Amino acid sequence: MNVLKVSRFTIVAFILPCTLIYFGIVFVPILVSLYSGLLEWNGIGQSSFVGLENFRNLFFHDPVFWPSVRRTLMFAVFSMAEIPLALMVAIFLRRYIRKPNFLVSSYFMPVILSVVIIGQLWKTIYNPAAMGGMLNQILETVGLESWTRSWLTEPKVAMFALYFVALWQYLGYHTLIQFTGISNIPAEIYEAARIDGAEGFKADRYITFPMIIPIFKISIVLAFIGSLQAFDMVMVMTGGGPAHATDVISTHMYNMSFLSMKYGYGSSIAAVLVVVCLIATVIINFIFNKLEKRFS
């Protein structure tokens, strides 16, 4: 009995410092942001408590907020849409490439690069000028002049240009995650399935996908939450323009907090973003828990 008490005390003694640090780094800023969202404050001078006024203005009187929410959710949808593509690439590499590690590492390279470098690279590719716009030059070369665009300055096109860059950057990241999960499936299972006549797509349907559902869930959560927090790429490539056409929740929060000096209002946007991330995580976990039970 004494040994049990000592062991519990030892566990608590080791866990408590890390728990306190995590609470201080993660939850305290969230609580501070929630409280700041109830203030009218420029971040420097005196603040005044306005209750839910910031949230009321945000939901009912802000012409930029709801379009930014729609773009953010579309960003999330496009980000999750690349997960099945990453899974197909991972299956192809695992099944048909004898030594796929080099290719997997090559696909992962864009993730290593700084977002600033990637943003400047794609700004050059999207540049509509004749001397710098590689994409337009390629389209003209193959006879598709009508497809040329001012990719980052046309409101109806700019956001889709950003979606593609995000897909290009993180495809290798999710391919690596899926490839690792597939590599950990014992080869004996596939051999037994082959004896029973299950090969190719049938083996993937009944073996590969059910066994990597937990890995698939990790990719979905990372892609969805990461896209909700999309900020740096948008700021580097468009800054939220033209005319707020590429503003997402995080860039709107930045503009309100640091450019318009409405720190309390920006904190209310941050609080909404945190709540959306939490709700999305709960929903995704619920869906995949159902899938795991179905395939188990």
Side-chain angles (χ1 to χ4, degrees), residues 253-269:
M253 174 190 67
Y254 173 83
N255 292 332
M256 290 293 102
S257 299
F258 301 107
L259 299 184
S260 299
M261 297 300 291
K262 297 180 180 179
Y263 189 81
Y265 191 78
S267 296
S268 66
I269 301 175

Side-chain angles (χ1 to χ4, degrees), residues 171-184:
L171 178 63
Y173 177 73
H174 295 292
T175 298
L176 176 62
I177 294 176
Q178 305 302 320
F179 180 81
T180 303
I182 294 172
S183 299
N184 288 328

